[in-house]
Amino acid sequence: SVSVSALAVAFGRVLELPRNEIKDIAMGGLLHDVGKAMVPGRILNKAGKLDEAEFEIIKSHVVHTTKLLTDAQGVSETTFNAASQHHERFDGTGYPDKLKGDQISVHGQMLAIVDVYDAITSLRVYHKGMPPGEVLRKLYEWSGTHFNPKLVQAFIKGIGIYPAGSLVRMESDRLGIVREVLPDKLLQ
């Protein structure tokens, strides 16, 4: 959650959001998975693939998070939306409410991108983390379906697949150093 929060701050800065809005989305990042405290540890930490019933229990963490934040004092709308909508998907295939497109707040859309990036790059009991460049490429491929394409591009621009100064191996097997990132050619 600390990682998700930090990434949300960086993302908010890329989008040039006001400081108080960035603070609230950062809080959403810290609290987005608080409902996992209600999920049994044997399911939460299972090393193998979850069966359908176990996956439904895992998905319930968002409902638990929403309930906890509804009952809490002083939670802003931005924080609430970011945390309660982080598993919604741009094409309506997410959960718990199957919200689609602009039905999902911009803060929920942002946290969805950040959460997936963090989850796939991190080492977990059920998978090894992938390199950030590969994950950003996947996010780019999923833009328009799972994620808002404009927000994915902004996130990639902020994080950078091949940031200036990166050492890269080209198809010719020669090594090169990235001198510049072109906004319209993020994958090159």
Side-chain angles (χ1 to χ4, degrees):
S1 292
V2 171
S3 220
V4 169
S5 182
L7 287 166
V9 168
F11 197 5
R13 287 186 176 154
V14 168
L15 296 176
E16 299 179 353
L17 299 178
R19 187 177 179 89
N20 64 327
E21 199 172 331
I22 292 173
K23 180 181 145 273
D24 287 348
I25 194 169
M27 186 60 69
L30 284 173
L31 297 172
H32 78 288
D33 277 346
V34 71
K36 284 187 175 178
M38 310 298 278
V39 175
R42 64 177 172 72
I43 295 174
L44 198 57
N45 298 313
K46 184 176 178 180
K49 187 171 170 59
L50 298 174
D51 64 33
E52 196 172 314
E54 291 168 330
F55 187 58
E56 288 302 315
I57 292 169
I58 285 284
K59 286 174 29 177
S60 74
H61 84 275
V62 181
V63 175
H64 296 303
T65 295
T66 301
K67 171 87 171 94
L68 289 165
L69 295 182
T70 298
D71 295 344
Q73 299 261 333
V75 175
S76 75
E77 183 178 355
T78 296
T79 298
F80 180 83
N81 287 339
S84 65
Q85 296 174 350
H86 75 279
H87 280 294
E88 298 292 351
R89 296 295 176 254
F90 200 65
D91 60 1
T93 60
Y95 61 89
D97 298 317
K98 301 215 177 291
L99 300 177
K100 185 176 185 176
D102 291 338
Q103 293 176 320
I104 310 165
S105 73
V106 68
H107 307 106
Q109 291 181 47
M110 289 172 65
L111 216 64
I113 292 166
V114 168
D115 184 51
V116 167
Y117 175 84
D118 178 68
I120 299 177
T121 57
S122 298
L123 178 64
R124 306 288 173 128
V125 293
Y126 49 86
H127 80 86
K128 287 174 47 176
M130 287 175 58
E134 285 182 42
V135 177
L136 290 173
R137 184 172 289 126
K138 286 195 167 294
L139 289 176
Y140 187 77
E141 290 169 5
W142 293 330
S143 67
T145 54
H146 290 333
F147 308 113
N148 180 324
K150 289 180 182 172
L151 289 178
V152 168
Q153 285 187 357
F155 182 72
I156 291 171
K157 194 180 297 183
I159 300 295
I161 293 178
Y162 305 109
S166 298
L167 185 64
V168 293
R169 183 174 304 278
M170 295 177 275
E171 289 178 3
S172 67
D173 211 32
R174 295 176 64 186
L175 292 178
I177 296 177
V178 177
R179 288 187 1 191
E180 180 182 9
V181 178
L182 303 175
D184 58 335
K185 297 181 180 179
L186 294 173
L187 297 178
Q188 296 183 356

